[in-house]
Amino acid sequence: LGVMEPVSKGRFTKAARNLARSRIGSAVSHMREASSLFRSFSWTYACPSLNSIQMSENIFSKILRGEIPCHRVYEDEAVLAFLDVNPLAPGHTLVIPKAAVATLDLLSDDSAAAIGRVLPRLARAVMAATGATDYNILQNNGASAHQAVFHVHFHIIPKFEGKGLGIVWQPLAVEPSQLTAIRERIAARAGAQAGKD
Ligand code: 5GP
């Protein structure tokens, strides 16, 4: 804006006014972009201390600490299950580890085992209580994958009477060589037990 010169008694030339408008517009757009980048930045992965702040602030941590109520259906030393407050179907249940981590890949083997041990039993309980025979287990990780609460959770969602999880499934067309290439990259990182095919 330094080029804006008053021509007489505080009046600006039309060109100076236009230049000022465009500079302000561009500054606003940079601020919007910076704000959007700030919001989308993955603080969880970038900074463990911010991860702990995020974890202590989310709604499931508050439920675990008893600061807000929930409709609890199951609890043990490592797992809590309660009804989703905005269910996709009657009986829609959330199963969470007591360990505070944001996404599944950050879960310890012990917490994962504790969840895995009770999930089938909780699924049976939800089905028996609702009369549904079909259901989905949904587990979202990351905002673009529809995760809204950044504490690992599994949804048990009965599918009946037209209610439940809607799925859009759009398979990619891939060459066998592409499958081979990605298989090798994943298997190399999955550990010694990865099979060969
Ligand atoms: P996500 O999209 O993160 O996989 O799902 C989060 C789920 O948490 C949503 O289905 C939402 O309805 C549920 N939820 C959000 N806030 C609360 C709450 O305060 N209490 C309960 N019981 N569920 C909640």
Side-chain angles (χ1 to χ4, degrees):
L1 297 180
V3 294
M4 237 181 6
E5 296 288 346
V7 286
S8 67
K9 295 194 174 168
R11 291 170 67 86
F12 294 96
T13 65
K14 195 173 171 190
R17 274 201 307 274
N18 286 342
L19 181 62
R21 277 194 198 113
S22 89
R23 292 280 167 87
I24 289 167
S26 149
V28 167
S29 114
H30 283 306
M31 280 160 62
R32 282 201 183 118
E33 199 177 321
S35 147
S36 145
L37 273 173
F38 184 83
R39 272 183 273 117
S40 65
F41 188 70
S42 178
W43 297 106
T44 297
Y45 291 104
C47 178
S49 60
L50 279 171
N51 178 35
S52 42
I53 293 167
Q54 185 184 41
M55 293 315 304
S56 67
E57 284 316 307
N58 74 58
I59 203 89
F60 293 171
S61 298
K62 288 183 176 153
I63 287 175
L64 279 169
R65 293 198 299 265
E67 291 168 12
I68 60 170
C70 69
H71 294 89
R72 180 171 35 196
V73 299
Y74 174 85
E75 181 166 13
D76 64 29
E77 66 285 351
V79 177
L80 177 69
F82 51 94
L83 295 182
D84 194 305
V85 79
N86 292 124
L88 291 182
H92 181 164
T93 296
L94 299 171
V95 186
I96 70 172
K98 289 189 174 175
V101 295
T103 52
L104 185 70
D105 48 288
L106 300 174
L107 202 57
S108 70
D109 286 357
D110 283 348
S111 276
I115 293 248
R117 202 162 36 237
V118 295
L119 257 183
R121 192 196 319 167
L122 292 172
R124 286 193 294 274
V126 170
M127 295 312 105
T130 59
T133 53
D134 298 347
Y135 62 98
N136 292 97
I137 300 291
L138 175 68
Q139 206 281 309
N140 299 324
N141 298 281
S144 75
H146 210 285
Q147 184 176 14
V149 180
F150 288 88
H151 181 123
V152 174
H153 52 282
F154 289 75
H155 299 252
I156 302 175
I157 311 171
K159 184 81 180 176
F160 65 139
E161 294 169 359
K163 300 186 184 72
L165 181 68
I167 297 179
V168 177
W169 195 276
Q170 295 171 316
L172 303 173
V174 290
E175 299 296 329
S177 62
Q178 291 174 288
L179 294 177
T180 302
I182 192 71
R183 186 207 83 85
E184 280 167 10
R185 286 167 54 200
I186 295 172
R189 291 161 177 82
Q193 300 307 315
K196 292 192 184 336
D197 61 20

